[in-house]
Amino acid sequence: MAAHFWKYIPKTPSEKGAFAFIIVMGFSSLYYMLFVVHPTIFQEATPWYCIHLAFIAFEAMNVLGNFWYILSTDTTEGNVVLPSTLKAGWRYCTACEANFPPRSHHCHTCNRCILQRDHHCFFTGNCIGFANHRYYLCFTLHVAIAGFYAVIMNADYTWAVLGGLSWTSLVSMVLPIVSWILGLSETYTFAVAFLSAGCIIAFLLASALTGYHCLLIFSGQTTYERTHNVKQYDLGWMENVHRALGENWIASCLFPFAPLKVKGDGFKFPQKGEFEDIKDM
């Protein structure tokens, strides 16, 4: 079991550090919210408090569930036997010494070719491609939602600990480590400022990533295809969404464990003219 888990851990030292950082920050922020901030807001177990707990549990399920599927989903060709002859539109990978379908690219960090490769995620140490793009988008979406919730709920308590709005509190909030080293804030104040600043950064970064990848999905592109102005796989925004998230895309966004399948197999991709011809038949 342990060996099964460790194979999903990033391989490079920098990615291991980033991976450990987001794990520690995620659970620390959750603990801070539940056992430090919430008791100052809710003195009794009211229905409103139970709604907040249910919301936090729902977001935690989505963040952790999608994060796990990013790590554990096979983004390669898997057990499919690749053809020995080079098909039209396919390419030969000299590193893998095999023929690969359109939209696949070799990742030098993972040392393998990824079907419909979008990018290599530094924080998870895994490539995002055809099989796990849905989980990546939903992960960033729910991190953004959870981050926004944390920023709003933490605000009053954080500013109270920092001593209200002042130049010292602003420095502690923007540069918590520097403020702590210079002696402008105590250890507990530093911890509160660091966690609160982390929530703000997580919200902003995840929101930007969610917006960008929604744009990619709506236009039927990967990051590589957008930077190289490749538009031949754009089948219309709704069909693009169905191919990325599945027919029931709302369930995909809300329930990471739902056994929903996206259209296609990562090997064949209808192009714009072909898809329009099929619709007209």
Side-chain angles (χ1 to χ4, degrees):
M1 183 68 180
H4 179 73
F5 172 77
W6 282 107
K7 74 177 184 179
Y8 300 125
I9 302 300
K11 303 300 185 293
T12 65
S14 59
E15 289 181 347
K16 285 181 179 178
F19 182 88
F21 178 77
I22 64 170
I23 293 293
V24 172
M25 280 296 294
F27 282 103
S28 298
S29 298
L30 182 61
Y31 178 89
Y32 175 64
M33 172 63 65
L34 289 175
F35 300 105
V36 178
V37 175
H38 266 198
T40 66
I41 302 174
F42 306 102
Q43 282 72 41
E44 298 179 0
T46 61
W48 187 237
Y49 173 67
C50 294
I51 291 173
H52 277 262
L53 285 183
F55 175 78
I56 291 174
F58 176 76
E59 286 305 310
M61 174 197 71
N62 272 282
V63 170
L64 293 174
N66 285 299
F67 186 74
W68 169 250
Y69 279 121
I70 291 173
L71 299 178
S72 60
T73 301
D74 186 4
T75 54
T76 67
E77 76 281 5
N79 297 323
V80 176
V81 178
L82 297 171
S84 57
T85 57
L86 192 61
K87 296 183 178 181
W90 287 47
R91 62 173 187 85
Y92 179 76
C93 177
T94 55
C96 297
E97 297 183 340
N99 297 316
F100 281 90
R103 310 184 81 181
S104 65
H105 295 279
H106 187 84
C107 175
H108 294 286
T109 303
C110 296
N111 195 29
R112 57 186 184 177
C113 278
I114 308 300
L115 300 181
Q116 195 181 328
R117 183 179 184 270
D118 187 86
H119 71 284
H120 183 87
C121 178
F122 177 74
F123 290 101
T124 63
N126 279 262
C127 268
I128 307 303
F130 173 80
N132 65 352
H133 200 179
R134 158 200 168 186
Y135 302 118
Y136 179 81
L137 174 67
C138 294
F139 172 72
T140 60
L141 171 65
H142 287 283
V143 168
I145 294 172
F148 179 74
Y149 174 83
V151 169
I152 298 301
M153 297 299 291
N154 294 349
D156 290 341
Y157 181 81
T158 298
W159 286 115
V161 171
L162 293 178
L165 184 62
S166 65
W167 285 110
T168 302
S169 62
L170 287 175
V171 172
S172 298
M173 192 69 184
V174 177
L175 300 169
I177 296 178
V178 173
S179 176
W180 182 52
I181 292 175
L182 294 177
L184 299 177
S185 60
E186 298 179 354
T187 302
Y188 182 73
T189 305
F190 157 73
V192 169
F194 189 81
L195 287 173
S196 298
C199 290
I200 294 173
I201 294 172
F203 163 65
L204 295 175
L205 179 60
S207 297
L209 289 172
T210 301
Y212 179 69
H213 282 273
C214 281
L215 179 63
L216 291 178
I217 287 176
F218 289 158
S219 60
Q221 295 174 305
T222 63
T223 298
Y224 174 87
E225 290 164 354
R226 186 161 189 83
T227 56
H228 289 78
N229 200 30
V230 177
K231 300 180 179 180
Q232 65 198 66
Y233 302 107
D234 184 3
L235 308 178
W237 74 270
M238 182 56 74
E239 181 65 19
N240 294 335
V241 169
H242 288 167
R243 289 189 171 273
L245 302 177
E247 293 282 356
N248 196 343
W249 58 273
I250 296 178
S252 295
C253 292
L254 298 178
F255 304 103
F257 305 109
L260 304 172
K261 292 185 178 181
V262 298
K263 287 186 175 182
D265 56 6
F267 291 87
K268 299 177 182 178
F269 300 95
Q271 298 186 23
K272 189 172 184 180
E274 298 171 349
F275 183 72
E276 291 175 348
D277 291 340
I278 293 173
K279 290 196 300 181
D280 293 338
M281 291 180 62

